[in-house]
């Protein structure tokens, strides 16, 4: 309690005093003098601009070629297709281009967008031809030999994303440029952002040809920080954002990376930076993503600092190898000025599976704040179910149904925005993280486990959260990949309000041994790895 109070006092004091950004300003001035580069730096925390400065002739609204910062925008457009079921990251190229043979055809969408597809740095001529089409370019790409087998190495290049964009066109029946407008720039009101400097849209350079401004890109970053929501409208699902930011390289060797070739010499450790879907995992601490970025070859650098609920864009046109040392200094200076947030979106997690970053109506969640007097979502009080020395467990108000974003406030700490999903199902397990043996009861009330396994045709009571109202018809369950009939969903005074008992019939066809059990609500499946034991 005392630590939380001291943190609040510190924040309150900072709020009452103008933050001193003089060190940041000095770096911007030095960059202009030494590189002759005008620039704009815009920084936002908790959705509010805390710093904006332009040098020379630059401005936050000035649209310029953002080069590889295009990749993050393209990655988000791709994830809208995943959200809508129009394609999946695991789909092979051959699903959309049947004439793609061998390794080229087996390469997945995930590999194309995470630079692990095997395509080398030598690019087909079509990538620099804005007068052709993505269809023609895709055929050139699949006809060219791969540098390495798919999934065996990371090679930073543009070819894979160009091919993936053509797959998106086939999946949707729309041009890539139109997808960018409909799915991203129009919902985010990014009025100065387009896929081509000269409005040549038949074959835009998907990984490096976009035009945007600092103010436009900041809108995109805020959407990402808010888990896919912008101004009350959902652009991406929270899970799509999570997937986009996750490490997609699967630990493969880094064959070529600008971070290893150039940036490692500037700051030790940058050479091992990994990649998500269109973005660099710039800083990771103890396995937790602290910062993402998508730097362009001409210095345009957007980034998000998740430990501070902070987004920023450095807009500049210069050789990026000259800009990077200044950006790293700016980032360090900002960290000294902008305080870390005492409460983060990623800290709000399912009590069953630990899936974090978004909530569902009626879900049981944990928040790492000790002994709060009051927890509210949009000023709706959350029922406190349990307290521990370092966290509190509450039930998210069911009144949030239909909303896409909520303001979470704990006592007098600054409110944070948390995305609301219609469902986030999770089963309670003995490990406490949704994996392993499910907490369950046999029909006779015996505790399910090795001494009391389930039998095909018997009933089993599981315990779930995050699936909304207690209506059996709204829930689906599988055991060992086989549909399990939901017999009842019941609440109890003995259980927290966010937990219900789920009684299911073990399928007669359920496999013997450890059987994965999954639960879904409204088509959204749990992310855990719960299992039950089946014996005949």
């Amino acid at each position: 309690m005392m630590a939380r109070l001291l943190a609040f006092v510190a924040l309150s004091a900072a709020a009452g005093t103008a933050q001193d950004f003089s060190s940041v300003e000095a770096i911007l001035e030095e960059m202009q003098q030494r590189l002759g580069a005008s620039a704009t730096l815009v920084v936002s925390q908790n959705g509010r601009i805390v710093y904006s400065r332009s040098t020379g002739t630059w401005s936050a609204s000035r649209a310029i070629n953002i080069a590889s910062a295009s990749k993050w925008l393209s990655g988000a457009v791709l994830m809208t297709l995943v959200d809508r079921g129009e394609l999946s990251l695991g789909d092979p190229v051959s699903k959309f281009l049947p004439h793609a043979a061998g390794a080229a055809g087996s390469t997945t969408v995930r590999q194309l967008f995470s630079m692990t597809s095997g395509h080398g740095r030598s690019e087909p001529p079509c990538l620099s031809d804005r007068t052709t089409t993505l269809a023609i370019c895709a055929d050139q790409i699949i006809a060219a030999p791969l540098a390495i087998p798919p999934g065996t190495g990371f090679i930073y290049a543009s070819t894979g994303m160009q091919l993936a964009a053509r797959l998106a066109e086939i999946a949707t029946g729309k041009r890539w440029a139109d997808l960018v407008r409909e799915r991203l720039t129009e919902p985010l009101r990014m009025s100065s952002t387009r896929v081509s400097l000269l409005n040549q849209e038949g074959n835009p350079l998907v990984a490096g040809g976009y035009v945007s401004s600092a103010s436009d890109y900041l809108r995109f970053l805020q959407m990402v920080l808010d888990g896919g929501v912008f101004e009350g409208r959902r652009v991406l699902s929270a899970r799509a954002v999570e997937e986009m930011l996750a490490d997609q390289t699967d630990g493969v060797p880094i064959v070529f990376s600008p971070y290893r070739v150039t940036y490692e010499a500037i700051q030790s450790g940058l050479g091992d930076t990994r990649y998500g879907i269109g973005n660099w995992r710039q800083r990771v601490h103890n396995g937790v993503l602290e910062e993402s970025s998508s730097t362009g070859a001409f210095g345009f650098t957007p980034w998000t600092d998740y430990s501070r609920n902070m987004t920023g864009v450095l807009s500049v046109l210069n050789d990026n190898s000259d800009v990077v040392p200044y950006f790293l200094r700016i980032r360090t200076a900002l960290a000294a000025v902008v305080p870390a947030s005492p409460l983060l979106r990623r800290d709000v997690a399912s009590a069953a599976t630990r899936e974090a970053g978004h909530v569902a109506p009626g879900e049981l969640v944990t928040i790492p704040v000790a002994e709060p007097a009051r927890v509210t979502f949009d000023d709706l009080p959350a029922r406190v179910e349990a307290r521990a020395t370092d966290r509190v467990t509450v039930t998210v108000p069911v009144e949030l149904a239909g909303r896409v974003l909520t303001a979470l406030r704990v006592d007098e700490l600054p409110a944070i925005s948390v995305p609301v999903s219609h469902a986030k199902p999770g089963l309670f397990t003995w490990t406490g993280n949704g994996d392993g043996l499910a907490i369950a009861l046999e029909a006779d009330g015996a505790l399910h486990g090795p001494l009391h396994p389930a039998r095909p045709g018997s009933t089993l009571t599981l315990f779930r959260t995050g699936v909304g109202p207690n209506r059996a018809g709204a829930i689906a369950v599988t055991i060992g990949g086989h549909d399990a009939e939901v017999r009842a969903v019941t609440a109890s005074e003995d259980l927290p309000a966010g937990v219900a008992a789920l009684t299911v019939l073990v399928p007669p066809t359920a496999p013997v041994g450890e059987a994965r059990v999954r639960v879904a609500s409204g088509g959204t499946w749990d992310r855990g790895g719960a299992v039950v034991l089946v014996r005949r």
Side-chain angles (χ1 to χ4, degrees):
M1 177 61 115
M2 182 57 68
R4 177 171 62 83
L5 184 59
L6 290 173
F8 172 64
V9 169
L11 282 171
S12 298
T17 306
Q19 291 167 301
D20 182 6
F21 288 95
S22 58
S23 58
V24 178
E25 302 223 355
I27 298 169
L28 287 173
E29 293 292 346
E30 180 186 335
M31 184 171 70
Q32 183 186 21
Q33 293 171 7
R34 294 197 175 183
L35 301 184
S38 299
T40 290
L41 177 65
V42 185
V43 180
S44 172
Q45 187 181 40
N46 295 320
R48 182 178 64 88
I49 301 293
V50 295
Y51 181 77
S52 181
R53 172 75 194 282
S54 295
T55 62
T57 60
W58 238 239
S59 71
S61 61
R62 181 165 181 168
I64 62 172
N65 187 332
I66 63 174
S68 285
S70 308
K71 291 179 173 66
W72 206 349
L73 303 181
S74 294
V77 174
L78 180 79
M79 294 309 297
T80 68
L81 275 71
V82 175
D83 265 345
R84 301 183 188 200
E86 293 163 329
L87 56 66
S88 75
L89 295 178
D91 284 341
V93 171
S94 59
K95 177 178 177 178
F96 304 96
L97 297 173
H99 57 288
S106 66
T107 304
T108 66
V109 173
R110 186 190 309 276
Q111 291 168 338
L112 293 174
F113 250 85
S114 63
M115 315 286 185
T116 60
S117 61
H119 292 95
R121 298 188 63 212
S122 178
E123 299 173 344
C126 66
L127 264 75
S128 58
D129 183 1
R130 304 281 74 80
T131 64
T132 188
T133 66
L134 271 172
I136 293 174
C137 193
D139 284 341
Q140 284 189 25
I141 293 171
I142 62 176
L146 296 176
I148 57 176
T152 63
F154 176 89
I155 302 176
Y156 186 76
S158 299
T159 308
M161 289 188 182
Q162 198 76 6
L163 178 54
R166 175 54 187 161
L167 305 187
E169 289 189 333
I170 296 170
T172 62
K174 297 182 178 182
R175 296 190 315 161
W176 178 259
D178 295 328
L179 289 171
V180 173
R181 269 191 294 271
E182 295 172 9
R183 307 279 178 95
L184 195 71
T185 61
E186 289 180 355
L188 295 180
R189 296 193 289 110
M190 298 171 68
S191 58
S192 64
T193 303
R194 55 189 189 275
V195 299
S196 170
L197 182 64
L198 300 176
N199 290 319
Q200 296 169 306
E201 298 184 338
N203 183 43
L205 184 56
V206 174
Y210 293 6
V211 173
S212 190
S213 65
S215 56
D216 263 19
Y217 214 108
L218 201 69
R219 292 172 179 270
F220 169 77
L221 295 178
Q222 191 62 48
M223 180 273 292
V224 173
L225 186 62
D226 284 342
V229 176
F230 180 74
E231 294 184 346
R233 176 177 178 178
R234 182 164 294 287
V235 178
L236 284 173
S237 70
R239 285 184 172 179
V241 173
E242 177 186 350
E243 190 73 26
M244 181 172 66
L245 301 178
D247 185 356
Q248 301 291 342
T249 62
D250 199 28
V252 299
I254 297 175
V255 178
F256 173 78
S257 163
Y259 275 74
R260 180 157 291 182
V261 172
T262 303
Y263 306 161
E264 176 67 24
I266 300 171
Q267 181 175 308
S268 178
L270 288 180
D272 294 326
T273 302
R274 291 284 169 167
Y275 206 71
I277 299 293
N279 66 99
W280 293 99
R281 291 167 55 85
Q282 179 102 5
R283 192 173 79 249
V284 179
H285 179 67
N286 291 334
V288 177
L289 180 65
E290 299 282 358
E291 185 176 303
S292 302
S293 67
S294 187
T295 305
F298 308 131
F300 188 96
T301 305
W303 82 99
T304 296
D305 183 335
Y306 305 101
S307 67
R308 289 175 168 77
N309 284 330
M310 184 177 77
T311 62
V313 180
L314 175 64
S315 173
V316 63
L317 270 178
N318 206 280
D319 189 295
N320 190 50
S321 61
D322 292 330
V323 173
V324 166
Y326 291 99
F327 166 69
L328 294 176
R329 289 171 57 195
I330 288 170
R331 190 182 68 176
T332 300
L334 284 170
V337 176
V338 180
S341 297
L343 186 61
L344 303 171
R345 181 169 61 84
R346 70 181 184 210
D347 292 332
V348 184
S350 165
T353 66
R354 299 293 177 257
E355 182 179 351
H358 60 124
V359 299
E363 181 187 16
L364 194 70
V365 300
T366 61
I367 303 171
V369 178
E371 302 180 15
R374 181 176 172 83
V375 177
T376 62
F377 293 82
D378 288 346
D379 294 325
L380 297 168
R383 175 172 160 175
V384 176
E385 308 289 357
R387 301 175 189 270
T389 56
D390 61 345
R391 65 190 56 247
V392 62
T393 302
V394 303
T395 296
V396 178
V398 294
E399 291 86 351
L400 293 186
R403 305 183 193 186
V404 295
L405 197 67
T406 182
L408 167 62
R409 184 181 293 277
V410 179
D411 289 344
E412 300 304 321
L413 293 177
I416 63 169
S417 297
V418 181
V420 180
S421 301
H422 79 275
K424 196 176 81 178
L427 292 173
F428 288 88
T429 63
W430 290 107
T431 60
N433 62 9
D435 294 332
L437 185 63
I439 299 174
L441 298 175
E442 298 293 331
D444 60 1
L447 194 62
H448 173 75
L451 299 180
H452 298 281
R455 299 189 181 278
S458 66
T459 58
L460 192 64
T461 299
L462 307 160
F463 298 91
R464 65 87 180 129
T465 190
V467 298
N470 296 331
R471 292 179 289 109
I475 299 172
V477 176
T478 63
I479 296 178
H482 299 264
D483 291 338
E485 179 187 344
V486 178
R487 290 288 182 87
V489 182
T490 56
S492 168
E493 292 183 357
D494 298 327
L495 296 173
V499 179
L502 185 65
T503 302
V504 301
L505 185 69
V506 179
T509 53
V512 172
E514 285 192 358
R516 171 78 183 278
V517 54
R518 302 193 66 193
V519 59
S521 177
T524 299
W525 289 89
D526 72 279
R527 296 283 290 271
V531 299
V532 294
L533 305 178
V534 180
R535 298 286 187 270
R536 295 196 181 276

